[in-house]
Amino acid sequence: MVSKIDAATFEVVIPRAVDDPLTYEKPLPLDLLPYQERTDKFFSVGTAFSIGHNRYVTAGHVFLAAVGDLTGPPALRDAGGHVYAIDKIVKFSLQQDFVVFSLKEQPNGDAALDTNAKPSLNSVVYAVGNALGTGVVIRDGLYTSDTPEDENGRWKWMRFSAAASPGNSGGPLLDQDGKVIGVVLMKSPNENLNYALPIGEVLNATSSLAVMDKRESYQLDIIEENQNGTFKAQFPLPATYDEFSATYLKLLNAKSEDMLKALLQQQGDELFPRGAGSNHILHDTPQLSLFPEMIVRNRSGQWVYSGRELNRVPLSGNGYVASGYVGHTFLMHLRRPDTVKAVTFYNDPKQMMDLILKTGYWTREVGPEKIKITSLGNPASSATYTDNWQRHWKTFVWSLSYINGQMVVFALPTPDGYAIMMRLNPSVITHDSIIDLKALADFLNVDYGGTLAQWKDFLAEKSLLPDVLKDARIDVDYGKHFSYESSNIAFGYPVALQSVDPDNLFAVGVGYYESHGKFALQAGVVQLRLNTTDPDRISITRHIAPSVDLDDNFKEAWGKLVHKQHPYDGVPYNDGDEMDIATVIDPPASDTPKELYTAFYATQGTHKPEEMKAKLALLTQQFKVKSP
């Protein structure tokens, strides 16, 4: 009986990558791997068995592990190491988790297992599988009970006590006569009672049809609510593996798109910036932050900024990589090193990723060692995406075939580098990550900053500019004068106020402003700082009258602006080691202004009040607020 079982049971294998485009900090110490692992040309992902007449069975999830695989289609391998290519898929059920298929070449003897569709409870059973990928192993236990499937009890799972290890999935569950009574599918997470699908469900399933009828849930990082639905579809069989894989992925991707669309439509006008709880961000003064932040809805229903910088790794040439995360999404700010030319930086994704990898976050485990990945090579695909705020993202996908994964990167060009969203995922769900990041792009807050020299390079690349900066005019005459003009304001100042040099730090903080029923991204703060070490600075800030639902703190702050009360009274004051002065710019004639601008100047040390007032006058005398 054992020899028959061995002859009819197979490993399900996927080819290992032959060529590796990745580079590492040193040669991979493959000698640290077990002999079988380092010499095997395949990954072992599960078990399959023959039921005769060129029909083979395995678990659906074992088969789907190869859908979207980067290295090749799945195959079967016998105990002697011979590999058999799959010919046609003839039955498939996503919800019951099984697949039946044929082989192009059958093993000698065509050994097959008999079946028993009516096993007895509390009888001895044997779980047969490729446990841990080390060959076929048989372990005994009892068939203890039946459990209705969770959704609506359409069938019953078999529960059994025979041990099941990773790799057992898809193997046969046998009775004491060696007949198949079930397909081993999953381990129990909390007890030693594992799950199998009764073989009768496989034998009685509709022939020549792939059936998907399974509950799914979709969630987006900006909200806690899920979109629940059913992935329900069918397509005809038999089909080759390539045909099956392409059709399944097409249906799966379409379902993901439908669920995301339904989730966003369900939230509708509750989403930022129209949704309840948006007014705190809409009416608050933008806080300059070159690290990208996600706008998310918290548990109290308020839309807030989320995702702070958790780590920063310096790069040569004054560059750095700052990182954090929100939900499933990595957030990064990549500051371009001064030694890297802008024209190369914005047009060379390999170089961009190589800089990110200098953080050392991404490694490849080889035995006990973690080897740093230093380059992913060129991306497998590149594209552009324009979000609803008319910002132009560069999108890339890199393949990591050794883990059958892909890195999805959305990179938004900024004057000093990139604001980045990133996901590392199994290749089968790369499409999900792409549509997720497209949706999340509308909720990522990105301010624009860099040195005046970096701004000069950035503004020269017209294709990179978002709408919020396209109407901005920046004139710089080093050692003499600086001026800025947008659709809302215009101002300038001479070096008598603050020096104008290439290493001045210029930043534009964005806000979300409504006009004629539509929201647009516009400048909310404009700041010029002397340099990275000297905090002397000039700031122009836009303030919006608070809505009636906002708390008294907003109304009190607005009152100070309207009445030019401290700190907006044009009177210098000390703030720690610096002296500050600010005033409100008189708006165009209006009985009840809806927005106001303030001009602010700060410098280190203590200075005479007359000197500070003279400095402020240099800033305000050329300031102009344009009528809407």
Side-chain angles (χ1 to χ4, degrees):
M1 187 184 299
V2 170
S3 62
K4 180 180 180 180
I5 294 169
D6 284 347
T9 305
F10 303 82
E11 293 177 86
V12 182
V13 295
I14 300 174
R16 291 181 185 270
V18 176
D19 299 316
D20 186 0
L22 279 60
T23 57
Y24 306 91
E25 61 177 334
K26 64 178 184 179
L28 296 176
L30 298 178
D31 58 304
L32 297 177
L33 297 174
Y35 174 80
Q36 180 177 344
E37 183 179 349
R38 71 173 181 266
T39 57
D40 199 340
K41 295 181 179 180
F42 295 87
F43 288 109
S44 184
V45 295
T47 306
F49 59 93
S50 170
I51 56 174
H53 307 291
N54 196 15
R55 291 293 182 265
Y56 297 80
V57 180
T58 189
H61 70 268
V62 169
F63 196 77
L64 292 179
V67 171
D69 191 85
L70 303 174
T71 58
L76 299 192
R77 182 167 63 181
D78 63 19
H82 189 87
V83 176
Y84 303 91
I86 291 174
D87 184 22
K88 298 289 179 62
I89 293 87
V90 296
K91 287 185 182 183
F92 173 78
S93 172
L94 179 65
Q95 63 274 21
Q96 292 187 308
D97 199 11
F98 76 85
V99 61
V100 181
F101 54 93
S102 61
L103 299 180
K104 293 181 179 179
E105 172 200 357
Q106 292 193 68
N108 291 332
D110 191 21
L113 298 174
D114 296 326
T115 60
N116 174 13
K118 296 181 179 181
S120 300
L121 277 172
N122 299 313
S123 59
V124 174
V125 295
Y126 300 91
V128 182
N130 174 37
L132 301 173
T134 57
V136 174
V137 175
I138 304 173
R139 290 180 283 194
D140 65 331
L142 293 176
Y143 168 28
T144 61
S145 60
D146 295 316
T147 300
E149 64 91 18
D150 290 342
E151 187 174 341
N152 52 26
R154 288 172 289 180
W155 68 89
K156 291 184 179 181
W157 300 113
M158 303 175 70
R159 303 298 302 276
F160 62 95
S161 63
S165 302
N168 275 77
S169 289
L173 184 68
L174 307 178
D175 64 13
Q176 56 191 356
D177 297 321
K179 295 181 179 180
V180 180
I181 61 173
V183 184
V184 177
L185 294 182
M186 51 188 166
K187 277 180 67 70
S188 172
N190 302 316
E191 56 185 342
N192 188 28
L193 286 178
N194 302 309
Y195 291 81
L197 178 71
I199 192 64
E201 296 291 336
V202 177
L203 299 176
N204 296 328
T206 303
S207 296
S208 304
L209 198 64
V211 180
M212 286 73 69
D213 187 2
K214 187 177 180 181
R215 286 188 299 192
E216 303 283 354
S217 183
Y218 205 100
Q219 194 266 338
L220 201 59
D221 287 341
I222 56 167
I223 53 178
E224 292 187 344
E225 290 82 359
N226 290 343
Q227 178 65 35
N228 298 312
T230 301
F231 178 24
K232 195 165 187 174
Q234 296 181 351
F235 61 90
L237 298 175
T240 65
Y241 168 77
D242 288 343
E243 292 168 343
F244 175 91
S245 178
T247 304
Y248 179 83
L249 274 178
K250 181 179 179 181
L251 293 170
L252 179 66
N253 293 343
K255 180 59 181 177
S256 296
E257 291 175 7
D258 288 345
M259 293 187 74
L260 175 57
K261 182 179 179 180
L263 178 62
L264 296 175
Q265 287 180 341
Q266 180 189 55
Q267 296 297 314
D269 287 341
E270 294 304 312
L271 294 174
F272 180 85
R274 298 187 180 280
S278 299
N279 279 336
H280 276 77
I281 290 179
L282 296 178
H283 292 82
D284 202 1
T285 303
Q287 302 297 313
L288 276 174
S289 172
L290 298 187
F291 187 81
E293 298 172 308
M294 197 75 76
I295 300 174
V296 306
R297 186 168 60 203
N298 63 21
R299 292 186 176 181
S300 64
Q302 296 295 318
W303 289 94
V304 297
Y305 295 117
S306 179
R308 59 189 179 87
E309 179 181 329
L310 298 177
N311 196 25
R312 180 177 293 201
V313 176
L315 305 174
S316 61
N318 295 318
Y320 64 79
V321 179
S323 59
Y325 67 92
V326 172
H328 305 90
T329 307
F330 289 107
L331 301 178
M332 291 187 173
H333 174 215
L334 171 59
R335 200 273 189 189
R336 173 171 62 91
D338 296 337
T339 52
V340 177
K341 293 183 178 180
V343 66
T344 302
F345 178 79
Y346 292 120
N347 293 284
D348 186 351
K350 178 183 180 298
Q351 183 185 63
M352 177 196 74
M353 181 53 72
D354 288 353
L355 290 171
I356 292 173
L357 291 172
K358 289 183 182 295
T359 59
Y361 297 157
W362 284 274
T363 61
R364 178 169 177 176
E365 291 190 18
V366 181
E369 289 196 35
K370 293 182 177 180
I371 311 302
K372 292 179 182 177
I373 300 171
T374 57
S375 179
L376 300 184
N378 292 316
S381 64
S382 303
T384 58
Y385 173 70
T386 300
D387 63 28
N388 284 335
W389 303 112
Q390 299 303 301
R391 299 177 299 188
H392 310 299
W393 298 77
K394 293 175 178 285
T395 70
F396 309 103
V397 177
W398 278 271
S399 295
L400 289 78
S401 56
Y402 76 97
I403 56 171
N404 194 25
Q406 290 187 306
M407 186 89 76
V408 181
V409 174
F410 274 48
L412 184 67
T414 62
D416 73 339
Y418 280 113
I420 292 171
M421 297 189 292
M422 177 187 297
R423 285 189 178 176
L424 177 61
N425 51 256
S427 58
V428 71
I429 62 169
T430 291
H431 180 80
D432 287 6
S433 289
I434 291 173
I435 63 174
D436 269 11
L437 294 179
K438 285 182 177 180
L440 292 174
D442 290 336
F443 299 88
L444 195 74
N445 187 79
V446 178
D447 294 326
Y448 294 82
T451 65
L452 289 181
Q454 289 175 324
W455 273 91
K456 180 180 179 181
D457 293 334
F458 180 69
L459 294 173
E461 295 280 338
K462 300 297 184 183
S463 64
L464 305 179
L465 300 183
D467 274 11
V468 67
L469 296 177
K470 279 188 176 178
D471 71 340
R473 179 179 176 183
I474 301 169
D475 290 325
V476 180
D477 191 352
Y478 293 136
K480 294 182 180 180
H481 187 265
F482 172 90
S483 67
Y484 169 88
E485 183 175 1
S486 70
S487 59
N488 303 96
I489 60 170
F491 74 93
Y493 62 87
V495 293
L497 172 58
Q498 183 170 281
S499 65
V500 180
D501 301 308
D503 62 348
N504 287 169
L505 296 175
F506 177 51
V508 177
V510 301
Y512 305 84
Y513 301 95
E514 185 177 15
S515 177
H516 306 294
K518 295 183 178 181
F519 283 90
L521 205 61
Q522 297 178 2
V525 177
V526 178
Q527 184 184 95
L528 289 110
R529 178 170 162 165
L530 207 54
N531 52 55
T532 55
T533 59
D534 193 328
D536 286 11
R537 63 196 180 278
I538 295 160
S539 294
I540 306 299
T541 305
R542 184 178 182 181
H543 307 265
I544 304 297
S547 56
V548 294
D549 62 311
L550 291 175
D551 57 49
D552 290 343
N553 290 331
F554 283 87
K555 297 169 184 175
E556 181 182 353
W558 181 252
K560 289 183 177 182
L561 290 164
V562 171
H563 300 292
K564 293 187 178 181
Q565 296 174 349
H566 179 78
Y568 309 112
D569 53 4
V571 176
Y573 60 95
N574 290 310
D575 184 6
D577 295 333
E578 68 180 28
M579 181 166 276
D580 302 343
I581 188 169
T583 190
V584 178
I585 304 299
D586 291 329
S590 174
D591 294 334
T592 54
K594 294 183 178 179
E595 65 178 43
L596 292 169
Y597 286 86
T598 54
F600 171 90
Y601 173 69
T603 184
Q604 290 288 288
T606 302
H607 302 268
K608 294 180 180 179
E610 294 78 11
E611 294 176 356
M612 294 295 292
K613 291 180 179 180
K615 294 276 191 178
L616 184 61
L618 288 173
L619 177 59
T620 59
Q621 65 187 12
Q622 296 185 45
F623 200 106
K624 179 182 179 182
V625 178
K626 299 181 180 181
S627 299

